[in-house]
Amino acid sequence: MMNDKDKVDKKKIPKHVAVIMDGNGRWAKKKGNKRIYGHKNGVKAVRETVEAAGEMGVKYLTLYAFSTENWKRPKTEVDALMSLFISAVKNETSNLMKNNVRLKAVGDMSLLPPKVLENLNVIIDKTSQNTGLTLVLALSYSARNEITYAVKKIAEKVMKSQLSINDIDEDTISKQLYTHDLPDPELLIRTGGEIRISNFLLWQLSYTELYFTEVLWPDFSKKDFFNAITNFRQRERRFGKISEQISNEF
Ligand code: FPP
């Protein structure tokens, strides 16, 4: 009789892991500090997660850093987060180069302050030839905004007779998303104890395994990432088929 441990395939590492980094504010509050203190400490957890993903052979890591809804937070917090993004990408450049990490960004970049965009583009350019982990920052991102934008682009193609309605399929839509050059995530991790998706990658998460942890983002460590991967490896992904049909697929 096989036990759960025997079922774990050592090679079954997710190619793409997406993360909702939640709990920075509560972490800071618990320590009697301002919310931004939590965000600042969240940078360390980002570094740990990037290193852990690289070490495990994950190819794509997408981090939900700022949602379109986050623009509605008090201006002081938004400004502090924007400054933090600038300093974090600047300070981490040498680390990303050393670890062969390629940086990308997805979201409505037109809403970002020019200074953030400039700094981001410099490092995206600098790391573009790296061949290890691809780190994708979801910045000013929301899935409904992404899908709306894709629908507009498809409608425009139809209007210009570049595309026939009968030729629109799932692939047509995937190709118009911000994530058009990324595979769908196999695993989503959300920290901070909330059990929801919060407008993140709604199209791409159709078959993704979901993993929720109470750990607040600034406390999230390499070990927590390994735990999430181990949990994923013990699951059976059926994609609507039955167990016997998929048993030899991995
Ligand atoms: C959610 O916690 C976190 C954010 C909105 C910001 C995430 C930013 C970082 C981790 C900083 C560094 C990031 C990069 C990519 C360099 P919350 O504020 O919603 O926490 P709460 O639910 O406890 O209020």
Side-chain angles (χ1 to χ4, degrees), residues 15-236:
K15 200 170 171 191
H16 184 175
V17 179
V19 185
I20 301 178
M21 310 182 286
D22 197 16
N24 292 351
R26 277 166 285 158
W27 184 90
K29 214 171 160 195
K30 260 174 50 183
K31 296 196 177 315
N33 268 300
K34 289 194 176 138
R35 296 176 54 81
I36 189 63
Y37 180 68
H39 298 316
K40 282 183 179 154
N41 279 276
V43 178
K44 190 177 131 279
V46 169
R47 198 179 303 127
E48 290 235 352
T49 305
V50 170
E51 280 179 20
E55 282 165 23
M56 295 206 81
V58 170
K59 291 284 171 220
Y60 300 87
L61 177 70
T62 299
L63 303 179
Y64 204 3
F66 195 87
S67 71
T68 48
E69 287 81 16
N70 287 154
W71 289 116
K72 295 180 204 140
R73 288 192 178 190
K75 190 177 177 315
T76 45
E77 183 169 343
V78 172
D79 289 349
L81 270 169
M82 292 300 140
S83 302
L84 186 62
F85 292 142
I86 294 176
S87 63
V89 292
K90 271 188 177 168
N91 295 339
E92 295 302 320
T93 307
S94 59
N95 238 340
L96 297 180
M97 291 307 288
K98 196 178 85 198
N99 291 308
N100 197 19
V101 176
R102 179 170 67 130
L103 188 75
K104 284 175 75 80
V106 292
D108 188 352
M109 297 297 138
S110 68
L111 297 177
L112 287 175
K115 210 164 165 231
V116 176
L117 204 54
E118 273 164 40
N119 280 282
L120 202 62
N121 282 334
V122 168
I123 173 164
I124 288 173
D125 234 45
K126 196 161 182 206
T127 60
S128 64
Q129 301 304 315
N130 288 346
T131 54
L133 175 78
T134 297
L135 170 61
V136 185
L137 294 184
L139 275 172
S140 187
Y141 174 89
S142 91
R144 287 189 173 185
N145 163 276
E146 177 184 41
I147 294 167
T148 307
Y149 183 61
V151 169
K152 282 185 185 168
K153 284 196 287 181
I154 293 167
E156 198 182 333
K157 280 184 196 289
V158 172
M159 272 177 65
K160 289 183 178 163
S161 304
Q162 292 165 352
L163 181 67
S164 144
I165 287 182
N166 290 332
D167 290 336
I168 297 176
D169 57 13
E170 292 185 6
D171 207 40
T172 317
I173 295 166
S174 293
K175 282 201 176 105
Q176 296 302 332
L177 300 174
Y178 297 132
T179 55
H180 59 91
D181 51 355
L182 307 172
D184 289 342
E186 286 96 340
L187 173 64
L188 171 80
I189 300 171
R190 180 174 187 144
T191 64
E194 311 287 2
I195 318 281
R196 52 177 174 253
I197 301 295
S198 301
N199 214 350
F200 189 41
L201 302 174
L202 295 181
W203 175 272
Q204 300 85 339
L205 294 178
S206 294
Y207 287 102
T208 303
E209 296 292 329
L210 309 179
Y211 179 87
F212 298 96
T213 169
E214 293 287 328
V215 175
L216 302 174
W217 180 252
D219 286 332
F220 194 76
S221 65
K222 271 191 185 183
K223 191 170 171 293
D224 294 309
F225 187 80
F226 293 148
N227 287 345
I229 300 288
T230 303
N231 180 287
F232 168 84
R233 289 160 107 187
Q234 286 164 343
R235 298 187 193 186
E236 181 184 70

